[in-house]
Each structure stands twice: as structure tokens, then as C-alpha cells.
Amino acid sequence: MTHNHYESTLAPYAATALTSRGRSMSEPEDPTRSMYARDRDRIVHATAFRRLEYKTQVFVNHEGDLFRTRLTHSMEVAQIARSLARQMRLNEDLIEAIALAHDVGHTPFGHAGQDALNECMRDFGGFEHNLQSLRIVDSLELRYGAFNGLNLSFETREGILKHCARNNAAQLGDVGERFLNGTQPSLEAQITNLADAIAYNNHDIDDGIRSGILTLDGMRQVAFFAQCHDEVRLLYPDLRGRREVLETVRRMINAMVIDLTEQTQANIAQHHIQTIHDVRAAPRLAAFSPQMHATMQALKKYLMEHLYRQYQVMRTSAKATRMLKKLFDAFMDEPRLLPPDYQINGDPTAQARQVADYIAGMTDRYAIKEYARIFSVEHF
Ligand code: MG
């Protein structure tokens, strides 16, 4: 099956090479792969992608070998998003490219790292991991002779840029436009965004219970969890432990995927969507039903209170925050501590961006080592 044939089997409003806004630098077509399949392959081979293996999702990498990392999170997002794409006849190659790339701009130590770096960059334009993901694929990955970055298609890039402040959007050209004129990205981008939420809400329950911070009884305070858990109890009255948790989470993911598919297809029908141009001009089409939306909110709120803000997690976050801030200050005070590629003769704003790029690119363990190299008296 040629890639042209694959794309002709998709829904009329799916993103395809035919309706694409193309790459920044035009390139000859690949004889065997569609444009979006090629984007996905470029992402998989990128250095920033490999680093995701050693970057924190919620639990720091060395806390245990079985917790999600940014890499396995991204793969779970891709799996869920691909299933959704298959159901809705959207472009699976594009969905996979967006999903695998969506977190490549994440700092070490998860959200604590992102917040710390954003604070350090307050006077220099701030730091946002979404924008950083785009910056990586647009310019920081250096692998090709003809261009900096990966020269990805417009649709993959717009999908990576999930959200963006207006002042930043104004400087981004084509991918920034929709944040200024209120239009929407492709359905593939919209779906990947929600697949991300399905993935982390569910795998964080699994990891949270595995760590002992969350309990099964506690989780039952979330009505939807209790409902899925009751089903498991009824079907397997003797099941306990990990399998009981996993059977419950499995049901939750499944229900969310079905709900999202049905609601989105109803929205597509209601707005008489025929083409990708209709998708862009319509209100946001990919959505959960109002009930499932409320469930997602309740789940998020519960995880915020009982997992992300629990003292065990907070201690690691606080330590990570202090570490990154001290690294940032040390590099700003003395840029000659930076590897030569990151030293520039520029104004403080340009230098700060170099420091942020350097720190954001670090894996958790690299940041810990670098901190020791710079601050520890045992490392002279
Ligand atoms: Mg994510």
C-alpha cells in the first residue's frame, strides 16, 4: 500500500500531504514514506527524544525502575492517540509524530523543573516546555546539512505547540497565527492533546498506587474510579493487588477513549465538517462529553491534592527546584562555566536563553552530576 493510498482511505477532514501547509524548507518527497511518517521517524532519531528516557514524569528516574518516564509516557500517549485515530479515520502517522514529540522540550524533574526555569527566565522572556519542544524541532536539533532543526511539516509543528501566550505567538509566524486569530489546529492535534490527558491521569494512578502514596481505597473517592473498580470486583471477586488496580485503570482508559470518540464524532456531524479547513474554522471539535469532562476534572483535582502535592513528591520537587535555580545563577554569573557551544557574546537575554536551552536539555541524572561538578567540594 503506498502512502498516497493510505491517506485516501482517511476521513475527508483528516490531515494529508495534499492539504498540508508543507515544510519551512521544501524537500523532495520520500518514495516510501508519507510526509508525516517521515516527521515521526525524524523525531524518533532525535537526541532530545532519546533523553526522554531519563527525564522525570512524576517520579524521579532513580526512585524506581518501573515508574513512567517521559519516554514511556510519550509512547503511551502515542498508543492511545493512534487507537483514537484508527477509530475516527484520522491520520495515524501525524498523530504519532505529534505524540512522540509533544514533550521533547521538557526540563529535567518534570513540572518542578519547568516552573523553576520559568522563574529564572522571568526577565528574559520566560520558559515554557511547549515552546521549547517547538524550538528543539525547529532549530536546536542539529543533524542535517541543509537546515537546522528537523524541518518538520506545519501540521506536526502546530500539534507540538499545544498552547502559547499571545506575546509569544506573535513572534512565531505561521504556527503562532491560530493563537491570535482564534482558529483551531487539525483534529489530529486536538486528539493528541486529549490522549495526553487520558494517558497521564491513568498512569499516574497506577504509579501513585505503586509508590504507596495513593491507595485503592482513597482513589474510590473519585466516583468514576469507584464505578470501574466495582465492575472489576463483580467480575473477579478474588482479585487483589496490582491486577485489581490495572483492571480498573484499563476500564477507565477504555471508557475515556470511547467517550472521546463518540463526542468528537457527534461534534463533527453537528458542525457539518467536510475538510480540514472546516476543522480549523469550527469551534474545538475534539472533546469529552460533559459528564466525562467533569470526571476528568475530578480526577485531576484528586491527583493534585493526593499525589502531586504530597510531601514525598514535594521534597523531590523542592530539591530539584533549588538545584536548577542554582545552576542557572552560576551559569549566568559566569558563562565561561558553560560548554563552549553555549557561550555567546550576546546580551544577557540571549545568554539566558542559551543557559535555559542547556539546562532544559539535561536529563535528571545529568543535572545531578552537573550540580555536583559545579558545587560539590568532593568533586574537585
Ligand atoms: Mg505529556
Side-chain angles (χ1 to χ4, degrees):
M1 184 165 83
T2 68
H3 56 261
N4 290 332
H5 176 71
Y6 167 65
E7 293 195 340
S8 71
T9 65
L10 301 177
Y13 39 77
T16 62
L18 269 180
T19 56
S20 172
R21 290 174 66 175
R23 304 181 188 280
S24 305
M25 293 244 323
S26 69
E27 292 182 55
E29 229 185 276
D30 186 282
T32 59
R33 294 170 299 170
S34 75
M35 181 171 58
Y36 303 129
R38 208 170 170 196
D39 281 1
R40 176 204 54 214
D41 297 350
R42 287 179 180 191
I43 292 156
V44 169
H45 291 284
T47 310
F49 181 74
R50 283 196 299 283
R51 287 179 175 160
L52 294 177
E53 183 174 3
Y54 298 105
K55 289 192 177 197
T56 291
Q57 181 66 25
V58 173
F59 295 92
V60 178
N61 195 267
H62 56 256
E63 287 178 315
D65 291 345
L66 300 178
F67 294 121
R68 268 72 176 183
T69 64
R70 286 262 162 227
L71 181 65
T72 58
H73 160 71
S74 301
M75 292 170 78
E76 288 185 39
V77 175
Q79 180 274 311
I80 291 169
R82 267 201 337 264
S83 299
L84 287 158
R86 182 75 59 96
Q87 274 301 309
M88 294 186 232
R89 287 196 299 133
L90 297 174
N91 199 315
E92 286 183 52
D93 293 334
L94 175 57
I95 278 234
E96 199 177 9
I98 298 170
L100 293 177
H102 87 284
D103 271 349
V104 292
H106 246 296
T107 60
F109 307 116
H111 281 277
Q114 130 91 34
D115 293 347
L117 209 47
N118 189 28
E119 231 177 281
C120 293
M121 291 293 288
R122 200 173 31 206
D123 297 333
F124 308 107
F127 179 89
E128 214 282 304
H129 74 266
N130 258 292
L131 266 176
Q132 189 69 10
S133 297
L134 188 67
R135 199 169 146 71
I136 286 172
V137 300
D138 278 357
S139 56
L140 298 183
E141 278 285 330
L142 301 174
R143 329 177 55 84
Y144 296 91
F147 43 78
N148 289 346
L150 304 178
N151 196 32
L152 301 180
S153 69
F154 173 84
E155 290 73 26
T156 301
R157 295 171 61 238
E158 79 165 347
I160 291 172
L161 194 65
K162 196 155 66 171
H163 38 73
C164 175
R166 282 183 75 88
N167 57 333
N168 287 327
Q171 296 165 30
L172 289 175
D174 54 4
V175 278
E177 278 166 24
R178 72 183 164 93
F179 299 97
L180 303 170
N181 65 19
T183 55
Q184 303 298 332
S186 70
L187 265 165
E188 284 81 355
Q190 297 183 34
I191 287 291
T192 311
N193 193 0
L194 296 175
D196 187 18
I198 296 177
Y200 67 68
N201 277 318
N202 286 292
H203 66 47
D204 287 354
I205 296 175
D206 179 17
D207 280 354
I209 293 179
R210 182 189 289 281
S211 73
I213 298 175
L214 295 177
T215 63
L216 203 110
D217 279 345
M219 276 308 306
R220 287 186 57 89
Q221 288 174 45
V222 180
F224 184 64
F225 182 93
Q227 185 190 317
C228 293
H229 184 221
D230 286 342
E231 275 176 38
V232 174
R233 277 271 161 95
L234 207 62
L235 203 58
Y236 308 107
D238 301 324
L239 206 61
R240 290 291 177 273
R242 302 284 316 145
R243 292 170 73 178
E244 189 183 5
V245 174
L246 295 172
E247 278 289 348
T248 306
V249 170
R250 202 161 76 74
R251 278 172 174 71
M252 293 175 68
I253 296 177
N254 207 25
M256 289 171 189
V257 165
I258 292 170
D259 181 275
L260 176 55
T261 306
E262 287 175 356
Q263 185 64 53
T264 303
Q265 281 184 321
N267 293 347
I268 291 169
Q270 192 201 330
H271 290 278
H272 309 291
I273 302 299
Q274 305 289 339
T275 68
I276 191 166
H277 308 290
D278 299 342
V279 171
R280 295 187 187 285
R284 193 156 274 251
L285 296 164
F288 294 107
S289 66
Q291 303 90 292
M292 189 56 88
H293 178 74
T295 291
M296 298 295 279
Q297 295 303 108
L299 196 53
K300 228 175 239 185
K301 187 161 173 275
Y302 186 87
L303 292 176
M304 186 56 82
E305 283 166 19
H306 297 88
L307 179 62
Y308 311 134
R309 291 205 185 128
Q310 275 303 295
Y311 82 97
Q312 300 97 317
V313 177
M314 289 301 290
R315 283 184 179 188
T316 321
S317 302
K319 199 192 281 186
T321 301
R322 276 196 302 275
M323 205 154 62
L324 295 194
K325 282 185 175 171
K326 283 178 75 175
L327 279 175
F328 184 89
D329 289 344
F331 292 132
M332 283 304 278
D333 287 347
E334 184 42 273
R336 279 173 297 185
L337 297 180
L338 287 164
D341 286 355
Y342 291 89
Q343 295 181 25
I344 50 164
N345 290 318
D347 57 61
T349 303
Q351 185 64 66
R353 188 57 62 191
Q354 293 289 106
V355 173
D357 285 344
Y358 182 51
I359 293 178
M362 294 178 184
T363 60
D364 296 356
R365 57 186 188 176
Y366 187 88
I368 293 167
K369 269 193 205 153
E370 189 74 339
Y371 185 87
R373 279 194 285 262
I374 293 196
F375 292 105
S376 163
V377 286
E378 279 104 59
H379 280 75
F380 270 110

